[in-house]
Amino acid sequence: MHTEKSRQAWFGVNGVPIRYSIREHALLSGLHCHHTYPENYPSIGSMKFATKHFKKKEKKTKEKKGKEGKEKGLRVTEIGVEEKLLKMKADGSDERLKMAVLYFLARFIRGRSKGGYFIEPFILQAVDDLDFVDNFPWGVTHLMIA
């Protein structure tokens, strides 16, 4: 069904219109779905955890004059996170929990794509602050991606 409201989806089931909005998404997913993101949320957390567990990959690029340059960046995939998580042992630190949270965010919040994708830096930063992850409105992010 077509509607002018961008934050709602309407479906017709046996001739009955059914609304699916952020409220229904919160009820079904159990995720925080309040509409406001924390101030300066993209800068919260750090890449400390991600850089500790994942290597930076270098990408060769050609400059205009034919010289080769190197572009560095952290390229983390869901598969890479899963492999690391399966190899980790419980050692009393929160490292394994952070890896599990990263896997959850990559798998459930971001979702899968057929060709794979690199996990966004924001998600890699967020797992370094588990209190932030616990209170962030992931439901809004999840609904907008889905």
Side-chain angles (χ1 to χ4, degrees):
M1 302 177 116
H2 179 71
T3 180
E4 299 295 322
K5 298 178 181 182
S6 63
R7 294 184 179 229
Q8 295 180 358
W10 285 85
F11 303 94
V13 179
N14 293 329
V16 177
I18 298 176
R19 177 185 76 164
Y20 189 81
S21 69
I22 196 75
R23 180 174 290 154
E24 288 79 20
H25 191 67
L27 289 170
L28 293 174
S29 70
L31 297 169
H32 292 288
C33 291
H34 45 88
H35 289 287
T36 56
Y37 287 112
E39 209 173 292
N40 298 323
Y41 76 91
S43 63
I44 293 175
S46 74
M47 295 295 275
K48 187 177 174 182
F49 174 78
T51 54
K52 178 181 177 182
H53 292 283
F54 300 97
K55 294 179 182 177
K56 287 187 177 185
K57 295 193 177 179
E58 295 179 357
K59 181 181 176 184
K60 292 183 180 180
T61 58
K62 289 192 176 185
E63 295 178 10
K64 290 181 182 178
K65 295 181 181 179
K67 296 178 184 176
E68 284 192 10
K70 291 185 179 180
E71 187 180 298
K72 295 180 181 179
L74 195 59
R75 305 284 188 217
V76 181
T77 62
E78 176 194 328
I79 293 168
V81 173
E82 182 179 20
E83 289 172 355
K84 290 275 185 181
L85 180 60
L86 292 173
K87 289 179 184 176
M88 293 178 94
K89 305 270 189 247
D91 62 357
S93 72
D94 61 353
E95 297 290 297
R96 191 169 182 213
L97 175 60
K98 287 181 180 181
M99 193 66 71
V101 168
L102 179 57
Y103 182 72
F104 171 79
L105 293 174
R107 180 79 189 255
F108 181 70
I109 300 297
R110 178 62 175 87
R112 284 189 157 181
S113 67
K114 289 182 182 177
Y117 66 91
F118 297 116
I119 299 170
E120 292 88 352
F122 169 66
I123 292 176
L124 295 174
Q125 283 177 210
V127 297
D128 209 40
D129 184 346
L130 293 176
D131 289 329
F132 171 75
V133 170
D134 191 39
N135 294 304
F136 188 76
W138 293 109
V140 176
T141 306
H142 184 250
L143 182 64
M144 295 305 152
I145 291 172

